[in-house]
Amino acid sequence: RSETEKLVDAFAKVYTPIVLLTAVCMCTIPWAFGPETGRFWTHNGLVAIVIACPCALIISTPVTYVAGLAAAAQKGIIVKGGAHLEAMAGTRQISFDKTGTLSEGIFELLHFNGIRTTRSRKEVLAYLALMEAPASHPLSDALVKGAANEQVAVPTKLELKNHSILPGEGITALVQGKQVHVGNEKLFQRLNLFSDLDQVDVDIAEEWANSGGSVGFISIEGEGIVGAYCVADRIRNEAVDVVKSLQRMGIDVTMLTGDQRRAATGIGHQVGLQDEHIKSQLLPEDKLAYISSEVEANKAKKKCWTRKSKVMMVGDGVNDAPALALADVSVAMGEGAALAMETADVTLLDSNLKKLLYIIRMGRRVVRTIIENVTFSLATKAIVMGFAFAGRAGLWAAIATDVGSMLIVTLNGMKLLPSSHKVRQNELRARMGRAVGESRRSSVSEPLLEVSNNSDTDGFVDEDRPCCSSGG
């Protein structure tokens, strides 16, 4: 139940007894002053009971929510109740996850260099593929497919043990009894291995990161860092336009990512964000802390006579779930993890960010329509009640006014529903979109991951990226 529904119900609980008591007094007390006076005020009391019935007022809110929810569902947007739809209208700040949200989650291995090792390029790639094969993250698939493009298959003769995730850093495992690490710069800084790199290798890694790629390394126990690689993600086609539109609507947009700063700013600038709105190198708990601080800051700013500004989180991964749960209103991508969709208040089934603009605008239309309905209901009752007290309102006029106002607010709420013509157009677009999506997935080149699920089902995404600069 939304704040508006609770307010209307609370008002009706006070308003109805007062009106009934007033009507009873009008029907009884005047008889003490004579039959003529008694009949006059009894008639007015009956009129007052009819016209004061709060049906139109009470129905004005839920019928509008139902229409808004149905319209959103026809667009492929699942909203878990009117309260979340209303919260959309108050959104003043949106934090986006990067991988799979602002970006498509389709990765390609762009570069791979061997570093100061006696092992061949293919041997290092084989170790890298072996480490990444157990993971189902898009970045892992890109590395495995990148190795396959060089005719390097996942080795079956090497023994892999104790494969585990290092949150926000990468992965580690025992290969042939030697500890192997794959991950971002933060991991190898912690292991005191990054400082052993030659300056030329550091410069190359920085160049890759500055171009917007996610840079990672692989090390083998006793040999140090033996390889460096760069993978890149695609920004969603609609991301730039959506960010600009949100900013024009007066909404602050922030990107939260586990990527290293250089890679994060490269992606952020592409979608139109300034440096101060790009938060990088974030672990899942850092995202949670950021959303928590923003929510608390908004609560502190709220005045008793103003509506609270809402903080929205948009994400797709398992590790976005805590932040999604804590935000005032949360949106999950339909191609993301099941946990994210279960936690979020809203799900964009086709993961199209333009649907986010639609649902925010729909939320604002819903609130505007509710205000229209409530204002009309109260104004109508006040005017006819005035006529009733003046003895100029008939009983049939009161009945017509009560029923008529209820029908008007219902029809006004139902105007949010799209026409049947628009519904048919949306169905046609959806079919065409599915056909284009299937065609696109089938035409993706070998180094790229298919778009199917942005699979995070093995318990990590983005920050727990087991191979590179963590990827938000």
Side-chain angles (χ1 to χ4, degrees):
R1 294 172 62 81
S2 69
E3 295 177 4
T4 302
E5 281 183 295
K6 293 176 183 177
L7 180 61
V8 170
D9 286 354
F11 174 78
K13 286 179 181 178
V14 176
Y15 162 83
T16 303
I18 292 176
V19 168
L20 286 175
L21 180 61
T22 302
V24 169
C25 291
M26 290 171 67
C27 293
T28 55
I29 295 175
W31 287 95
F33 299 95
E36 285 293 326
T37 303
R39 280 193 292 270
F40 175 80
W41 283 105
T42 297
H43 176 270
N44 289 344
L46 294 175
V47 171
I49 288 177
V50 173
I51 193 59
C53 176
C55 293
L57 178 64
I58 292 175
I59 203 174
S60 63
T61 303
V63 72
T64 306
Y65 284 146
V66 170
L69 294 172
Q74 289 177 349
K75 286 281 190 178
I77 306 168
I78 304 302
V79 185
K80 298 177 182 177
H84 306 307
L85 196 56
E86 182 179 321
M88 287 285 176
T91 299
R92 294 294 177 268
Q93 181 176 344
I94 300 179
S95 296
F96 284 95
D97 174 45
K98 191 204 76 169
T99 303
T101 305
L102 286 175
S103 68
E104 295 181 345
I106 301 177
F107 293 88
E108 179 181 1
L109 178 61
L110 299 181
H111 307 286
F112 178 82
N113 289 347
I115 296 177
R116 291 186 308 155
T117 178
T118 57
R119 298 178 184 269
S120 68
R121 176 185 177 88
K122 289 192 173 184
E123 189 175 359
V124 177
L125 276 173
Y127 268 76
L128 184 60
L130 179 66
M131 292 290 289
E132 297 296 342
S136 59
H137 190 276
L139 290 174
S140 301
D141 287 350
L143 290 169
V144 173
K145 289 181 178 180
N149 284 344
E150 298 193 24
Q151 289 73 50
V152 177
V154 177
T156 57
K157 296 182 179 180
L158 296 180
E159 184 182 32
L160 180 72
K161 291 183 178 180
N162 301 331
H163 188 278
S164 59
I165 300 166
L166 303 173
E169 294 181 336
I171 52 176
T172 184
L174 283 174
V175 180
Q176 296 295 94
K178 290 188 175 182
Q179 197 74 37
V180 178
H181 292 86
V182 180
N184 56 30
E185 180 181 330
K186 185 193 300 184
L187 169 63
F188 294 98
Q189 291 278 15
R190 180 173 65 81
L191 296 174
N192 296 320
L193 294 176
F194 190 80
S195 58
D196 295 335
L197 288 176
D198 294 337
Q199 187 59 43
V200 64
D201 295 318
V202 175
D203 292 341
I204 290 173
E206 289 182 354
E207 182 181 346
W208 291 346
N210 290 335
S211 67
S214 295
V215 179
F217 305 89
I218 177 171
S219 70
I220 300 176
E221 183 181 354
E223 302 177 35
I225 297 176
V226 296
Y229 55 84
C230 174
V231 293
D233 194 3
R234 295 175 179 173
I235 297 299
R236 292 185 183 274
N237 294 331
E238 72 274 14
V240 176
D241 291 337
V242 169
V243 169
K244 288 181 179 177
S245 297
L246 290 172
Q247 291 169 338
R248 284 196 296 267
M249 293 167 67
I251 298 174
D252 291 331
V253 179
T254 303
M255 184 180 79
L256 309 181
T257 177
D259 279 353
Q260 296 296 309
R261 185 64 186 174
R262 294 185 300 274
T265 53
I267 297 296
H269 292 164
Q270 287 183 47
V271 298
L273 297 178
Q274 301 298 318
D275 287 350
E276 60 269 21
H277 291 127
I278 302 170
K279 310 299 179 183
S280 59
Q281 297 177 274
L282 300 180
L283 298 175
E285 53 268 31
D286 297 327
K287 286 186 179 181
L288 180 63
Y290 177 81
I291 295 296
S292 176
S293 65
E294 293 301 316
V295 170
E296 292 300 322
N298 275 347
K299 287 181 181 178
K301 293 177 185 176
K302 183 183 180 300
K303 308 294 183 183
C304 61
W305 59 86
T306 62
R307 185 183 293 269
K308 178 194 166 193
S309 296
K310 305 294 185 182
V311 176
M312 179 189 294
M313 174 68 188
V314 185
D316 75 314
V318 172
N319 289 321
D320 296 324
L324 290 170
L326 190 60
D328 293 317
V329 59
S330 53
V331 178
M333 309 298 278
E335 294 176 351
L339 180 60
M341 289 186 280
E342 183 177 346
T343 304
D345 305 316
V346 179
T347 299
L348 310 180
L349 293 182
D350 62 357
S351 299
N352 189 332
L353 287 177
K354 287 186 177 179
K355 300 288 180 69
L356 182 63
L357 294 176
Y358 174 84
I359 196 61
I360 292 175
R361 288 169 179 151
M362 176 57 72
R364 293 183 177 185
R365 287 185 65 196
V366 164
V367 171
R368 187 164 59 247
T369 302
I370 289 173
I371 293 173
E372 292 170 359
N373 285 347
V374 170
T375 302
F376 176 78
S377 300
L378 293 177
T380 302
K381 294 187 181 301
I383 292 171
V384 180
M385 190 71 75
F387 280 109
F389 280 111
R392 296 183 177 275
L395 189 58
W396 284 108
I399 293 173
T401 301
D402 180 56
V403 176
S405 62
M406 187 168 62
L407 290 175
I408 288 172
V409 299
T410 300
L411 292 174
N412 190 46
M414 291 178 66
K415 74 182 181 184
L416 299 175
L417 289 170
S419 66
S420 58
H421 175 65
K422 288 184 177 179
V423 171
R424 287 193 294 271
Q425 284 184 329
N426 291 337
E427 289 176 351
L428 180 60
R429 290 194 190 101
R431 292 192 192 104
M432 293 176 64
R434 285 193 293 269
V436 171
E438 290 172 3
S439 173
R440 182 180 179 185
R441 285 195 289 269
S442 64
S443 64
V444 171
S445 60
E446 186 65 24
L448 301 182
L449 174 68
E450 292 183 359
V451 188
S452 57
N453 288 319
N454 186 27
S455 176
D456 299 324
T457 54
D458 64 337
F460 67 88
V461 296
D462 310 339
E463 304 78 15
D464 290 356
R465 208 2 250 137
C467 63
C468 72
S469 59
S470 64

